[in-house]
Amino acid sequence: MRKDFVYSLLIFSFCLVADQLTKSWGLSLNTLQFNEGVIFGLYGDLSKTLRIITLCSVFGFLFFIYLTLLYLLPAQLRQLKYGLSLLMGGIFGNVLDRTLWGRSIDFIPFSLGDIHLVFNMADVFQWIGAAIIVYKVIKKEKFIF
């Protein structure tokens, strides 16, 4: 098995473990908030069963695509694979929370003017992964396409 595939799965696992550990710690903070919905609280009014089935189905499909991309992308695109791993690790961290507890735990406050957000490490991993993916796709556009 190729090293970049194994490293990508290790990054995915690290994101998941780090997210769950920080959320355990975040339960004791006064900035704690629970997000019942999917993204920015959307679909919070869906029944728990429908939400779990939908989230697990979508994640299962995305995880299959992720593993396929890890396998098919050449070794020269390892940073792209690592970005995908960060993104998927963050997604799975939040999906795991919503599946087990019915909500995601947010505890890191962020304010910019009138905008006030609270997020978690899974969200940080998702944004970093997405930024790496966009950067690498733009930088290696001719090689990828």
Side-chain angles (χ1 to χ4, degrees):
M1 190 172 289
R2 297 187 318 219
K3 284 194 297 189
D4 55 329
F5 187 85
V6 173
Y7 289 153
S8 296
L9 292 178
L10 286 173
I11 291 170
F12 173 84
S13 301
F14 168 79
C15 290
L16 183 60
V17 169
D19 174 57
Q20 294 302 306
L21 289 175
T22 58
K23 284 177 182 172
S24 296
W25 172 74
L27 288 171
S28 64
L29 299 176
N30 61 353
T31 58
L32 178 68
Q33 289 186 11
F34 295 105
N35 184 348
E36 305 268 337
V38 179
I39 185 169
F40 301 120
L42 294 173
Y43 308 114
D45 56 341
L46 289 177
S47 72
K48 184 178 179 179
T49 305
L50 182 60
R51 191 170 44 226
I52 289 172
I53 291 171
T54 303
L55 285 172
C56 290
S57 299
V58 169
F59 180 77
F61 175 73
L62 289 176
F63 194 70
F64 171 76
I65 298 296
Y66 162 70
L67 290 176
T68 303
L69 285 172
L70 287 185
Y71 183 75
L72 293 177
L73 288 173
Q76 295 89 342
L77 296 174
R78 71 177 172 274
Q79 290 92 2
L80 181 62
K81 293 179 183 185
Y82 300 160
L84 285 168
S85 297
L86 285 168
L87 179 66
M88 289 303 296
I91 290 171
F92 187 60
N94 283 335
V95 168
L96 185 63
D97 284 348
R98 287 183 176 92
T99 302
L100 296 176
W101 318 116
R103 57 191 179 190
S104 180
I105 300 166
D106 295 332
F107 59 92
I108 303 171
F110 176 77
S111 295
L112 183 64
D114 292 336
I115 300 171
H116 304 287
L117 301 171
V118 181
F119 55 94
N120 57 44
M121 284 307 295
D123 300 332
V124 173
F125 294 138
Q126 289 176 48
W127 281 103
I128 293 171
I132 291 170
I133 292 167
V134 168
Y135 175 74
K136 284 301 179 182
V137 166
I138 291 170
K139 187 176 177 186
K140 299 280 189 177
E141 174 186 12
K142 292 180 182 172
F143 183 75
I144 294 171
F145 298 109

